[in-house]
Amino acid sequence: MINLGMASLRLYAGLVGCRSGFCARSLRTLSGMTVSQGTRDYNPKQMAIREKVFNTIISCFKRHGAENIDTPVFELKETLTGKYGEDSKLIYDLKDQGGELLSLRYDLTVPFARYLAMNKVTNIKRYHIAKVYRRDNPAMTRGRYREFYQCDFDIAGQYDPMIPDAECLKIVHEILSELELGDFRIKVNDRRILDGMFAVCGVPDDKFRTICSTVDKLDKMSWEDVRSEMVKEKGLSEEAADQIGQYVSLQGGMDLAERLLQDAKMSQSKQACAGLTDMKQLFSYLQLFQVTDKVVFDLSLARGLDYYTGVIYEAILTQTGPVPVAAAQNGAGEKAEEGVSVGSVAGGGRYDGLVGMFDPKGRKVPCVGVSIGIERVFSIMEQKAEASAEKVRTTETQVMVASAQKNLLEERLRLTAELWNAGIKAEVMYKKNPKLLSQLQHCEDSGIPLVAILGEQELKDGVVKLRTVHSREEIDVSRAKLVEEIKRRTLDV
């Protein structure tokens, strides 16, 4: 029976506003050995896959010169309020704990902006990997949870236009390519282009954000449904909605930005022209970074978060084969030019005004960043591992110290200690007189590549019999050279 402890139970009980509620029934569910909705446990195989993905992402972030930071898992409620548009309803609030109204963090971007303002940081390239919390309707098969990791990379500081933005897109391209998840596209747009488009199409100023949130649903809903929501629920005129429809169907690259700069309506908006000029500059840098083969300028991309002020982007996995069962069941089978969309795996953009919201004097720090949708990546990697015959190792043990005869426990422990002290990852079986077959079987099951076998004759000769598990080849190695030989044979472990 798992003992959560009273403090942990109080924290769980402090979560309020959850759509499913948290009550005595939820506590009974916990005692019944299940986890709460939208969360999950991870077994060693799953954790090995996650660690591999994390290492790939962190390596990329470090390759681009990023530093690591951390922030509290909960923030003052006022810190998070009003930053996420219609998604603010998904924030987990905590009960009053003695005067402070607190909420679990919804993402890592707003806490980062608060960190910059509070610590008067005006220049940093940082990454942050941590859990966030959302009162969303979970879809476990698509990697949508209420508790999940985000992997963020952000560049804060005053720089020339589009250079940091282009690097963020390059990072997305590198990570998705290295993880080998399948074909992908990175859609880009600009909030200034969107706002300019809304203005020339006749959208009232006070409806910009709410219409933007509706346009953001185009990856999940048909244009007819989006148009219906804009007209019937948001009160937009049919004429304005139809004009928006003509623009949000457009996709291209630098050529599209050039064409829109000549567009009779869009050219009337200074805001849109500024965004389109920067979009041209962005694509020129992306050409230098050699990533334009995967990047498309897409006017339907909106991203509903209120804090974006400039370039926005989203990476989507596509495939040319059949839609996976899990994806088909969750409505992820929308047709795309390159294949079938199976969901967003990264997103981000520029948010130049967010830090100023937390600074007493309103001082702004321009920022741009990207967040990798790591849970969806994990789900895909786990499905690939299940479909593959390749065994996933859950430990990094290089060698098992075994004995072929009885009464050699002390010698096994002595050799194991020598290996540990030399930095070798070694295991020993916790029995006085284990059978050799059992020790070898453990290596087979765990994927341990080598076995160091001790016997009375080996002890007399000052050697260790080193066995390669997969080939069953055995050689005698002198005790003095054992560490060197193990390292040589396990360079890739």
Side-chain angles (χ1 to χ4, degrees), residues 322-359:
V323 185
V325 174
Q329 290 174 342
N330 287 279
E334 185 181 356
K335 291 285 183 182
E337 285 184 5
E338 288 83 351
V340 180
S341 170
V342 293
S344 170
V345 289
R350 177 161 288 279
Y351 51 101
D352 289 349
L354 188 57
V355 178
M357 294 182 182
F358 300 108
D359 189 281

Side-chain angles (χ1 to χ4, degrees), residues 91-223:
I91 294 173
Y92 268 113
D93 293 331
L94 303 179
K95 279 189 176 180
D96 186 347
Q97 299 293 324
E100 286 188 331
L101 296 179
L102 305 173
S103 299
L104 295 179
R105 59 188 174 203
Y106 176 90
D107 68 1
L108 301 179
T109 305
V110 170
F112 175 54
R114 190 265 309 151
Y115 168 89
L116 294 178
M118 193 175 81
N119 294 283
K120 297 181 173 57
V121 177
T122 58
N123 211 312
I124 190 175
K125 185 188 293 186
R126 84 86 169 88
Y127 75 91
H128 188 187
I129 297 178
K131 286 184 176 181
V132 298
Y133 301 85
R134 297 183 184 179
R135 294 191 298 111
D136 205 352
N137 285 323
M140 310 291 272
T141 53
R142 290 186 63 194
R144 184 188 299 149
Y145 303 93
R146 288 177 171 171
E147 176 194 61
F148 57 95
Y149 274 99
Q150 281 193 337
C151 300
D152 282 19
F153 173 97
D154 292 82
I155 301 172
Q158 189 72 51
Y159 301 107
D160 289 339
M162 297 298 105
I163 302 175
D165 311 63
E167 183 172 9
C168 287
L169 291 168
K170 170 66 171 170
I171 285 171
V172 175
H173 189 283
E174 287 181 10
I175 289 173
L176 295 183
S177 298
E178 287 181 48
L179 291 176
E180 299 180 334
L181 299 173
D183 197 18
F184 62 91
R185 289 182 303 148
I186 305 173
K187 300 192 292 186
V188 298
N189 200 0
D190 193 299
R191 266 295 172 84
R192 294 166 297 175
I193 297 173
L194 277 170
D195 287 351
M197 177 184 72
F198 292 151
V200 300
C201 289
V203 178
D205 290 355
D206 61 347
K207 290 186 181 294
F208 275 21
R209 293 284 72 84
T210 185
I211 295 300
C212 186
S213 293
T214 301
V215 171
D216 191 40
K217 299 175 183 178
L218 273 170
D219 63 333
K220 307 178 187 72
M221 297 163 51
S222 67
W223 164 248

Side-chain angles (χ1 to χ4, degrees), residues 1-5 8-13 15 22-37 39 41:
M1 183 76 181
I2 297 172
N3 181 11
L4 290 175
S8 297
L9 287 177
R10 281 194 213 100
L11 175 61
Y12 272 96
L15 300 175
F22 192 96
C23 55
R25 178 178 58 82
S26 300
L27 288 173
R28 284 197 300 272
T29 304
L30 282 170
S31 65
M33 301 306 289
T34 61
V35 295
S36 61
Q37 189 180 16
T39 65
D41 295 320

Side-chain angles (χ1 to χ4, degrees), residues 261-441:
L261 281 168
Q262 306 302 319
D263 184 83
K265 288 185 178 179
M266 292 290 274
S267 60
Q268 296 174 15
S269 168
K270 291 183 178 180
Q271 196 176 20
C273 287
L276 290 166
T277 300
D278 278 351
M279 188 63 67
K280 284 180 59 181
Q281 184 69 72
L282 175 66
F283 268 88
S284 70
Y285 294 143
L286 295 177
Q287 287 176 348
L288 296 173
F289 286 156
Q290 301 177 350
V291 297
T292 50
D293 60 316
K294 298 294 186 183
V295 181
V296 58
F297 175 23
D298 187 336
L299 265 73
S300 71
L301 178 64
R303 295 196 64 78
L305 300 180
D306 280 358
Y307 52 66
Y308 288 124
T309 58
V311 168
I312 52 177
Y313 33 83
E314 186 170 85
I316 295 175
L317 288 184
T318 61
Q319 62 174 41
T320 54
V323 185
V325 174
Q329 290 174 342
N330 287 279
E334 185 181 356
K335 291 285 183 182
E337 285 184 5
E338 288 83 351
V340 180
S341 170
V342 293
S344 170
V345 289
R350 177 161 288 279
Y351 51 101
D352 289 349
L354 188 57
V355 178
M357 294 182 182
F358 300 108
D359 189 281
K361 296 183 179 179
R363 289 170 293 201
K364 294 183 178 181
V365 177
C367 298
V368 64
V370 63
S371 181
I372 306 298
I374 197 69
E375 299 296 343
R376 182 161 287 175
V377 171
F378 289 149
S379 294
I380 295 166
M381 295 290 281
E382 286 173 13
Q383 289 173 19
K384 287 179 67 175
E386 289 296 327
S388 170
E390 184 179 352
K391 189 172 182 178
V392 177
R393 281 202 66 188
T394 58
T395 73
E396 297 181 2
T397 305
Q398 295 166 276
V399 61
M400 177 84 178
V401 178
S403 58
Q405 295 150 339
K406 293 184 177 181
N407 303 318
L408 292 177
L409 174 62
E410 291 182 2
E411 294 299 335
R412 284 191 291 128
L413 296 180
R414 184 176 290 111
L415 178 56
T416 303
E418 288 177 15
L419 295 175
W420 286 339
N421 292 340
I424 297 295
K425 298 165 185 172
E427 286 187 39
V428 64
M429 199 165 266
Y430 305 134
K431 289 188 175 182
K432 286 186 176 181
N433 297 305
K435 293 180 180 179
L436 180 59
L437 186 60
S438 299
Q439 297 169 87
L440 296 177
Q441 188 62 50

